[in-house]
Amino acid sequence: MQPNMTTILAIESSCDDTSAAVLRDQRVLSNVIASQKVHEQYGGVVPELASRAHQQNIIPVVDAAIRQAGISKDEIDAIGFTRGPGLLGSLLVGVSFAKSFALALGKPMIEVNHLQAHVLSHFIQVESGKRKAESDASAQKELSTLHSPLSTPTFPFICLLVSGGHTQILLLRDYFDITVLGTTIDDAAGEAIDKAAKIMDLGYPGGPIIDRLAKEGNADAFTFATPHIAGYDYSFSGIKTSFLYFLRDRLKEDPDFIEKHKADLCASIQKTIVGFLLKKVERAALDHRVTQVAIAGGVSANSLLRSELQRICQKHHWQAFIPPFSFCTDNAAMVASAAYFKYQRGEFADQSLAPYTR
Ligand code: KG4
Ligand code: ZN
């Protein structure tokens, strides 16, 4: 290893994914994610079961991350961990583990905000060819042959953070100089998508299922109104309710309505939500004269959101930053990325801290 390189081990346990990653100077040496299947049968995350699964997974996941990275424990310079927001029981497992591990190794620890981590995933060093190839599923096989220069956003840029728990338009002037321009006043976009899937009895999490089914559907088959909300804020509870009432009426006339129109319903609701999201992002970028726009969070894996962002950016001659799929949903590589910048500033956490849920 070259001198002056920083090796961070990070832990993410805020919701239902137990993850550990090792990054060396922002390059991923490993990023292990254990997703909890136990929640699927309940149609949503059950907090008690999530904490228990984290407790079972945390040591094997950290162990695997260190082994896959091919490092020894004394090469770790600091332990990064998600302090919040998230589910308390889930966070407690990761935070307690990070404290104990840091103490045992005699290394500093760095607390990370989960939302900042999603945004700072854009600074993980990935070959730009890989970013491009991963954004286009059909180009997956090119991955191993591409080694183009790195591509990360420069400040200022706008980031749409869109996940199961959050929907925010953020203006970044620096790594930790983040202004919230807009936020949802009720449900998160991912939550609305998951609820739409639940209404159609498609399974959980619904986002990837809707994305897949939408590819075979007509996005203009049905229209769902979007609310008029001031500024850059969002609201998704109305869209979800109008979807529910629309289906209730149609099911009265035809009990097989959902089954017959599944793909069209998925394509139409996806188009509604993605259109609503990006309309405000476009407005925010124009108003703030920003020419770089990023997306982050679980919903940024959505194929329509990815292609529409690219289309809008091309129209304005802006640059679009779309994370590789592996950094969209919850992962510890993004936590390590945020921890790296805090490490450089000497911002370390002390052993007495507790997680925060909001
Ligand atoms: O970031 P994340 O893993 O967890 C939170 O911090 O919430 O995001 C999970 C959300 C879920 O709502 C899931 O349905 C959604 O991301 N999601 C998607 C896709 N993949 C995951 N939504 C739409 N299309 C996708 N392909
Ligand atoms: Zn997340």
Side-chain angles (χ1 to χ4, degrees), residues 23-44:
L23 264 67
R24 179 165 287 162
D25 274 6
Q26 294 294 59
R27 287 183 182 275
V28 181
L29 302 186
S30 64
N31 185 29
V32 177
I33 305 168
S35 298
Q36 304 176 358
K37 297 275 170 244
V38 63
H39 309 286
E40 282 171 11
Q41 59 190 299
Y42 300 99

Side-chain angles (χ1 to χ4, degrees), residues 160-192:
L160 171 71
L161 171 58
V162 70
S163 72
H166 307 277
T167 307
Q168 296 183 326
I169 301 179
L170 306 167
L171 174 63
L172 280 94
R173 294 192 185 85
D174 199 354
Y175 299 110
F176 298 103
D177 180 354
I178 305 176
T179 308
V180 181
L181 299 179
T183 189
T184 179
I185 58 167
D186 42 51
D187 294 349
E191 203 179 343

